[in-house]
């Protein structure tokens, strides 16, 4: 297998993103002949014991990595994070209806908007359901050093007496480059935190630091950042919130298409219908590797070390670089976004950024352009990116500053 | 890459099923370094021109293979055929509402039930929507030689004056082993056929024979039989039926979760959210190979030749084998299902079937057991299975008869 070109390339894409070479080398044999079965992994029946063992192992490794308690189910689903915008809402409305036996009418649902992805989730909730409350919009605050970021105690939360069906937030905003400080959500008023199911989209920072699953009702994440190839989305959901939506259906929320019903996945061990075998397989290899190499603790140390290299460069050269996230404690350790300034005007400059992108590409450091909606530069330093690769990127930033 | 064990194995699984070895060998390099980019295919940004070219090529090859007219869109989606049980119904209800501007209230929808999969689709329609009509249930007829199979002219169709929103059928029933004769659906009354959108699930026989796309509103198929790895579902939909469901929403059908809305996929060239890259990539390789090797015409010849070998064996040994599908013209060329009879009682015998399964496994012919819901034997002879492999299977049947 030829890995020459690969070894010279540093892929900073925001997702789908780079995967460890040793994992891909194992997968390249696995798709031909999985562990000597004579059958490639994607040719296995999903009902075979061989595949079920693979799935169980992947789940167990993930449970160990994230310390997932046994009263939470782990689901391997399709449809991406975007499908979970709909599924989290609809399943939590069903869980609410089951708990309150349809009494009290349509409950409020609370959404924290902190960037592009949580904003999309909020819009989808508005499409599908009426009483949706945006409890805070911190997008401007995040970009403006003069505006403090509102603490959860200051959010415009629904009253717990209204029995909100859920609170939704996105832990790391891939496009904006912001990330909640770890356990930020613990600052919610205690009664609210204990009574309201909390749903977190952790697509772009899962496995890069610990997360307290027990604080949450649902933690979900698409694979294609820190985990594996696109095509699988993992949902961790507290079992007492998994209900049959048809048994509790009321007129205030729509019928849930069968593939979005968590109970179907729970009752069938993620085999309600044919699962996306390859993405699950590679995700399992990544889990195994991460466990062997120190787990989330080690991943967090690396994420801190790698991101510090870049953020230190930004701080040291304020006339060249400007972080998109003004508040240092809200800066993502996964997606580092910044603008490059024109030396004369001090304003962000598309031309300077193009020059930096070109320099990177000449050194085979690729996919450093910011998302088309925000422009600028985005360096995604996911788990598969080594410290050495981050050092190479920073040396190019250094070279750019000097030039 | 070690292919020894693979070359000795004949995989007759019903799906996920076998894929051509040369395709998998190309993919095993592609996931390490896609065409010299230094990036594995699953690590490409789905917004990159490299991936967009891959996607366009896959679509164009499929269009050529199936002769898909330009007024049909081709969508690469997630969620499997099961998600299309919901999506076909909801999108056709939206298309109906747009055409009739919400006049006339909730339209009927017509379902043909011919086996396990169409039955599931019908049940999902009943869950999500009220006026669902089962126009025929031919499951008993299919298994009983004394009961003719009702022709479409005899089905209990909704009147065209009621403006039914769709007719749904499954072209090949993977579990039951039945398949509609080619172009069977053309026997529908002409006015009905021209006015009612017809939806076909072709998951398990697509690319094994021609299909007249123009007769249909929607033709959809999961990849994991004749196409590629599980995780992508392809939807071919007539463009004039693709509407914004929010613009025409009425109270008689539920809001459609955003990932199930065809218009989102159409407007974004299947990149509304991150697509399942690996399954799309491998599907594209299979399309390219099939075009090179004679297309659907050649695949059909092979399917006829391979299935004839097996069905001839069943006909020649009626005291040993009994086809599940009593009517020869309804027998699937993809999934061949039969029982093995006890020599003394003449009744289907689990013990005899276990003996046959064991014989097959001793010769590395694997996954020949029938679906758990029907028992018996199922031989799935998908496109990737060569004539030589089919001959090996038949020689084992011969050996079994002699023993």
């Amino acid at each position: 297998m030829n890995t020459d070109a690969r070894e010279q390339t540093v892929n900073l894409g925001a997702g789908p993103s780079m995967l460890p070479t040793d994992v891909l080398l194992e997968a390249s044999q696995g798709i031909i002949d999985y562990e000597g079965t004579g059958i490639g992994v994607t040719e296995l029946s999903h009902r075979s014991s061989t595949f079920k063992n693979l799935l169980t192992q992947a789940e167990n490794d993930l449970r160990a990595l994230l310390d997932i308690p046994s009263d939470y189910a782990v689901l391997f689903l399709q449809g991406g994070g975007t499908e979970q915008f709909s599924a989290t809402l609809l399943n939590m409305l069903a869980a609410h209806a089951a708990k309150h036996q349809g009494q009290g009418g349509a409950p409020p649902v609370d959404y924290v908007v902190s960037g592009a992805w949580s904003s999309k989730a909020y819009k989808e909730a508005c499409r599908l359901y009426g009483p949706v409350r945006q409890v805070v919009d911190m997008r401007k605050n995040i970009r403006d050093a003069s505006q403090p970021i509102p603490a959860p105690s200051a959010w415009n939360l629904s009253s717990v007496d209204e029995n909100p069906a859920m609170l939704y937030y996105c832990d790391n905003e891939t496009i904006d480059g912001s990330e909640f400080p770890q356990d930020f959500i613990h600052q919610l008023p205690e009664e609210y935190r204990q009574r309201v199911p909390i749903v977190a989209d952790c697509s772009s920072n899962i496995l890069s630091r610990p997360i307290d699953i027990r604080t949450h009702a649902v933690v979900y994440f698409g694979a294609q950042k820190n985990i594996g190839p696109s095509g699988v989305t993992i949902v961790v959901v507290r079992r007492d919130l998994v209900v049959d939506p048809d048994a509790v259906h009321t007129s205030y929320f729509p019928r849930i298409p069968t593939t979005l019903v968590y109970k179907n996945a729970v009752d069938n061990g993620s085999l309600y219908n044919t699962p996306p075998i390859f993405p699950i397989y590679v995700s399992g290899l990544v889990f195994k590797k991460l466990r062997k190499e120190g787990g989330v603790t080690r991943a967090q140390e690396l994420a801190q070390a790698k991101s510090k290299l870049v953020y230190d460069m930004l701080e040291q050269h304020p006339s060249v670089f400007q972080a998109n996230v003004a508040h240092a404690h809200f800066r993502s350790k996964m997606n580092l976004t910044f603008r490059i300034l024109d030396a004369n005007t001090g304003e962000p400059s598309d031309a300077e950024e193009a020059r930096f992108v070109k320099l990177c590409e000449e050194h085979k450091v690729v996919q450093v352009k910011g998302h088309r909606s925000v422009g600028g530069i985005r360096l995604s330093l996911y788990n598969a990116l080594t410290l050495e690769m981050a050092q190479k990127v920073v040396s190019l930033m250094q070279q750019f500053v000097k030039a």
Side-chain angles (χ1 to χ4, degrees), chain A residues 81-90 109 111 117-130 132 168 254 260:
Chain A
T82 303
E83 193 153 297
Q84 290 308 314
F85 295 168
S86 322
T88 52
L89 170 72
L90 296 172
V109 290
Y111 277 72
W117 288 107
S118 51
S119 171
K120 285 188 187 197
Y122 168 69
K123 280 181 193 149
E124 173 66 357
C126 293
R127 268 192 72 232
L128 293 179
Y129 185 63
V132 183
Y168 182 101
L260 274 65

Side-chain angles (χ1 to χ4, degrees), chain A residues 347-366:
Chain A
E347 292 296 314
S349 159
D350 291 348
E352 288 301 303
E353 285 157 0
R355 227 164 46 80
F356 180 70
V357 170
K358 188 158 172 283
L359 174 71
C360 287
E361 282 173 356
E362 284 164 4
H363 290 81
K364 298 197 171 155
V365 173
V366 301

